[in-house]
Amino acid sequence: MAVYIVTGVSGVGKTTIGKLLAQRLNLPFYDADDFHPPENVEKMKNGFPLKDKDRKGWLDVLAENIQNWNKEDGGVLACSALKEKYRKQLTSISERDINWIFLRAGFEVILNRLKSRKNHYFKPELLSSQFKTLEEPKNALQIDVNTSEENIIKEIMAQLETPKAEIGLIGLGVMGKSLTLNLLSKYIQVSVFNRHVPGKEENVAKEFVQEHSGSYTFKGFDDLKGFVSSLKRPKKIILMVNAGPAVDAVIESLLPFLRQGDIITDGGNSHYKDSIRREQVLKEKGIHFIGCGISGGEEGALKGPSIMPGGPLKAYKQVGPILEKIAGKDVNKNACCTYIGPDGAGHFVKMLHNGIEYAEMQLIAEIYHFLRFGMEKNPEEIAKIFTEWNKELQSYLLEISAEILLKKEVDELLLDKILDAAKQKGTGGWSTNAALELGVPLDTISAAVMARIISGKKEDRKQAASIYDRSSQTSEIEVNSILKAYKAASIINHAIGFDLLQNASETYNWNLNYSEIARVWTNGCIIRSALIEELVETYKNHKTHLLLENAMAKKLQSGKKDFSKVVTTILKAGFPVPVLSSAFNYYLGFTAAQSSANMVQAQRDYFGAHTYERTDRPRGEFFHTNWKNNN
Ligand code: 6PG
């Protein structure tokens, strides 16, 4: 039968509540104090705190009794059991069917109670030593005793009767809902919470639970206290709220209900520096924070996203098994989820995933645009070309682009009705900022960000189009050459992205594993492709810039002629190709042993005496010339 152990400091009401609970559960009640040997009782009466050696025999006797009660009629035991090691000792023989109930109250409340008590051998002065000794149990029901006895028993019964959920999810937007259904489909018990905003977000969680009640049993809340207490300890909570201040606000409102060892996982597209800060702040409170990038959109979240968690490894070990269950699977059926590294590493890697995504999207858009309006191919033909290319490239973005080119709305191509002004939520720009901060070139990704910004200037563009003559020169170009240019640009884009990862890893001491990152990106995420699959192997052995790797160098060498021809032809034809051309420029710049920067250095020194290094002197020696003096 079950044994219930009511714990807490002296004076918190263990005996009273224990007895009431025993009555309610129809079980015998035991008071651990009754099992003390006379010498311990004497010590306590005289105001001496017990030492561990005094407790040893007493705890052993209790452990044996607990085992017997377990085997027989069960029982409720009131026992302070303030330290983890005492609790371990109590259950050292029998670990089965034991329910810990921790009664919680502040120091002042108990002190006042103890002062008013009579005929009890515990001296109020011992209370501070009790609070010092107390290590709050993590796996106990947490019961606030600052209320009536009746309410306390009600709360204990409610918590005992409710099976606890393994994990809680806050924020039932598209991604939050899909992730919840994914968790439930893997038999993981979830509780969900969505805020209550009058007139806007009302009963969201309850309605969501209701909607899926035919398939799953789970609980929905719009009060945080109820939500948190529905979770097992340590509480594991995933936040799926908008990146930015909303994340801080939710964390703040959760704090009163969390205890040491609980874990918050932020699954939104948060900035990595926010994740670094949040981890630090929460660490001081004993709460773990995992900044976790999740890619795959609505469908990915539902069927298996790519998951990039960063934070304390200790916390990942507890949440990781759940995340790995819901993640997409790689070719070897391993989860597309791995521990990325400490603090902001997870969100940095997700940010770069999006950076690469921005440039890949723009590349496809540029090529589509030229095929359609430069080469006058119709959307169906372009869809066919993309589908054909994708037999080799296996790119999710190319696949959806082909589908987009076939989507009709009342006999007309939907694409043609979509305004040509791209929006962005920030991750591409953040990647660019990070690159500038770390001094890493990010040509393709920043070009994609700028392309979105220019696209947004629709009115200016329209006006400029009426002013400027856009007549251009056309010349023949093979579709196959465009494929070669696209492949080369894509390699360069990935090389640029991974270069930033490598620099960030060194700066922040994240010790990133690039092969593992590529593996996590092979399924579930937006940039999955045959190239990413290849990078899993490449990065097993290769540690420096991707363009310095033999196989990649060979590919770029063989595609160079087409790449150059495609970029120049399209530009001459008057079509902007910012990402395609910046990839080509990067390629030319990166592979040039001699650059034009000596002229820049000379100019800097000329007007600002900024000094320069010389080719005929060792690096690190700086020179200045008086440029106007010919002697
Ligand atoms: C993903 C996506 C996802 C989202 C981005 C892009 O990996 O699932 O990248 O995170 O689509 O937020 O957003 P913007 O294009 O709006 O910046």
Side-chain angles (χ1 to χ4, degrees):
M1 286 274 286
V3 174
Y4 300 83
I5 309 180
V6 183
T7 70
V9 296
S10 188
V12 79
K14 297 185 293 290
T15 312
T16 315
I17 297 301
K19 279 182 181 164
L20 288 171
L21 183 66
Q23 249 174 34
R24 179 68 189 263
L25 294 169
N26 206 12
L27 292 174
F29 171 75
Y30 304 99
D31 192 329
D33 282 347
D34 297 339
F35 294 77
H36 270 297
E39 55 275 22
N40 284 4
V41 176
E42 199 52 33
K43 264 194 163 180
M44 291 191 282
K45 262 189 195 163
N46 294 328
F48 297 112
L50 293 182
K51 300 224 164 71
D52 277 359
K53 68 174 185 333
D54 303 321
R55 288 190 183 92
K56 167 95 178 65
W58 171 62
L59 290 169
D60 283 344
V61 170
L62 282 169
E64 267 176 43
N65 276 293
I66 289 171
Q67 187 195 29
N68 291 335
W69 300 331
N70 249 171
K71 281 190 199 148
E72 292 158 15
D73 303 333
V76 175
L77 171 71
C79 178
S80 48
L82 297 182
K83 284 191 181 179
E84 184 63 26
K85 68 175 179 184
Y86 306 155
R87 294 189 289 269
K88 273 203 177 130
Q89 207 178 329
L90 283 176
T91 53
S92 56
I93 319 181
S94 167
E95 286 181 347
R96 209 166 41 93
D97 219 355
I98 290 176
N99 301 276
W100 290 95
I101 298 162
F102 175 61
L103 302 184
R104 172 191 299 283
F107 182 83
E108 291 300 322
V109 174
I110 301 182
L111 190 65
N112 290 336
R113 273 200 209 171
L114 281 174
K115 279 185 178 158
S116 64
R117 261 200 206 180
K118 292 195 180 94
N119 306 327
H120 191 273
Y121 53 73
F122 188 91
K123 299 246 167 96
E125 294 75 40
L126 290 185
L127 186 61
S128 50
S129 104
Q130 290 254 312
F131 266 90
K132 242 189 244 157
T133 313
L134 174 66
E135 293 164 8
E136 295 191 0
K138 292 196 179 91
N139 57 348
L141 304 188
Q142 311 278 323
I143 306 294
D144 189 345
V145 296
N146 226 345
T147 177
S148 68
E149 286 165 4
E150 194 190 333
N151 281 345
I152 295 172
I153 294 297
K154 251 194 207 158
E155 178 64 23
I156 294 176
M157 290 310 294
Q159 291 205 28
L160 284 174
E161 279 159 14
T162 319
K164 301 279 177 189
E166 195 60 48
I167 197 157
L169 187 142
I170 295 184
L172 291 173
V174 170
M175 289 290 282
K177 282 182 175 170
S178 297
L179 271 187
T180 304
L181 295 175
N182 186 347
L183 285 158
L184 289 166
S185 74
K186 303 290 177 331
Y187 306 103
I188 298 162
Q189 274 309 314
V190 195
S191 285
V192 292
F193 171 91
N194 199 83
R195 64 185 178 168
H196 175 88
V197 185
K200 280 190 188 156
E201 291 175 53
E202 292 183 359
N203 293 322
V204 176
K206 290 197 175 119
E207 280 168 15
F208 178 59
V209 169
Q210 183 61 30
E211 192 188 329
H212 295 279
S213 59
S215 317
Y216 302 114
T217 308
F218 64 117
K219 289 207 164 76
F221 298 85
D222 59 10
D223 79 294
L224 265 188
K225 191 176 177 203
F227 165 72
V228 178
S229 62
S230 76
L231 307 175
K232 274 187 197 160
R233 288 219 176 257
K235 312 277 180 185
K236 302 179 203 75
I237 297 171
I238 302 186
L239 310 185
M240 294 305 296
V241 299
N242 284 341
V247 176
D248 290 310
V250 174
I251 292 175
E252 202 53 42
S253 59
L254 268 173
L255 283 180
F257 310 112
L258 298 184
R259 307 270 173 263
Q260 288 212 348
D262 291 341
I263 305 165
I264 298 177
T265 300
D266 172 17
N269 268 334
S270 288
H271 195 284
Y272 68 100
K273 285 191 180 169
D274 283 337
S275 296
I276 294 176
R277 169 179 58 79
R278 287 172 186 141
E279 206 227 310
Q280 277 306 322
V281 171
L282 289 172
K283 195 167 154 187
E284 283 158 22
K285 302 179 196 301
I287 292 164
H288 301 302
F289 179 80
I290 296 180
C292 180
I294 300 181
S295 174
E298 185 179 0
E299 198 186 339
L302 182 67
K303 295 186 180 160
S306 164
I307 307 182
M308 294 147 257
L313 183 58
K314 197 172 150 201
Y316 179 73
K317 286 192 174 151
Q318 301 189 61
V319 179
I322 298 177
L323 299 178
E324 287 168 24
K325 267 192 200 153
I326 61 167
K329 301 289 173 278
D330 68 14
V331 278
N332 298 315
K333 309 259 178 296
N334 294 317
C336 286
C337 169
T338 194
Y339 174 68
I340 297 286
D343 54 59
H347 272 136
F348 192 95
V349 167
K350 173 62 185 14
M351 174 188 80
L352 236 294
H353 163 281
N354 284 21
I356 295 172
E357 168 192 297
Y358 269 49
E360 291 297 310
M361 290 164 76
Q362 176 66 24
L363 260 181
I364 296 171
E366 288 168 11
I367 290 169
Y368 143 75
H369 198 233
F370 179 70
L371 286 173
R372 178 135 183 228
F373 302 104
M375 293 176 70
E376 295 180 347
K377 296 200 178 291
N378 67 41
E380 285 86 1
E381 285 173 312
I382 303 170
K384 232 187 217 161
I385 292 171
F386 284 179
T387 306
E388 189 54 36
W389 289 359
N390 222 21
K391 286 182 186 158
E392 177 196 350
L393 303 180
Q394 298 291 302
S395 150
Y396 168 73
L397 282 170
L398 199 57
E399 177 190 321
I400 64 166
S401 304
E403 280 177 29
I404 288 168
L405 285 163
L406 299 176
K407 181 76 180 171
K408 298 270 171 57
E409 194 184 72
V410 200
D411 292 342
E412 280 179 82
L413 189 69
L414 175 59
L415 185 61
D416 289 343
K417 296 185 180 176
I418 295 179
L419 187 74
D420 57 337
K423 298 269 187 260
Q424 49 189 322
K425 289 200 273 304
T427 41
W430 296 348
S431 303
T432 306
N433 284 340
L436 291 175
E437 213 173 277
L438 295 170
V440 181
L442 205 73
D443 300 41
T444 47
I445 296 170
S446 54
V449 174
M450 299 311 154
R452 287 198 191 186
I453 298 173
I454 291 189
S455 79
K457 299 189 173 298
K458 177 79 177 170
E459 293 313 313
D460 285 351
R461 287 194 285 113
K462 268 162 64 182
Q463 201 186 337
S466 68
I467 300 171
Y468 289 91
D469 171 17
R470 303 241 321 147
S471 58
S472 54
Q473 212 182 310
T474 44
S475 59
E476 281 305 299
I477 193 161
E478 297 278 329
V479 169
N480 199 41
S481 296
I482 299 179
L483 169 62
K484 285 187 182 163
Y486 170 45
K487 278 161 63 176
S490 189
I491 290 175
I492 289 163
N493 180 39
H494 286 72
I496 288 173
F498 275 86
D499 188 32
L500 181 52
L501 285 185
Q502 289 174 322
N503 277 273
S505 180
E506 274 162 34
T507 305
Y508 291 108
N509 288 320
W510 283 337
N511 198 19
L512 296 181
N513 180 332
Y514 312 108
S515 169
E516 266 297 279
I517 290 171
R519 189 189 64 73
V520 164
W521 289 349
T522 57
N523 202 1
C525 75
I526 305 296
I527 61 169
R528 58 187 190 258
S529 68
L531 175 58
I532 289 282
E533 285 283 359
E534 197 180 336
L535 294 184
V536 178
E537 290 310 309
T538 307
Y539 278 117
K540 276 186 184 157
N541 307 311
H542 186 74
K543 304 284 173 237
T544 60
H545 198 291
L546 189 62
L547 297 196
L548 299 175
E549 196 270 338
N550 287 342
M552 293 297 157
K554 250 191 211 151
K555 286 187 198 196
L556 288 178
Q557 271 294 98
S558 72
K560 188 194 161 191
K561 241 172 141 183
D562 292 284
F563 196 4
S564 152
K565 185 165 178 229
V566 168
V567 172
T568 49
T569 310
I570 299 182
L571 285 175
K572 272 192 206 156
F575 289 84
V577 277
V579 171
L580 196 68
S581 61
S582 76
F584 190 60
N585 258 319
Y586 183 93
Y587 168 78
L588 293 179
F590 188 81
T591 56
Q594 177 66 47
S595 77
S596 55
N598 47 349
M599 177 54 105
V600 174
Q601 283 297 77
Q603 290 162 342
R604 290 175 72 241
D605 191 56
Y606 188 109
F607 61 69
H610 293 298
T611 75
Y612 54 87
E613 289 169 288
R614 297 180 60 101
T615 54
D616 53 1
R617 303 288 303 176
R619 295 287 300 259
E621 278 184 43
F622 291 89
F623 299 88
H624 168 58
T625 294
N626 182 351
W627 293 87
K628 289 206 174 128
N629 185 351
N630 277 334
N631 302 318

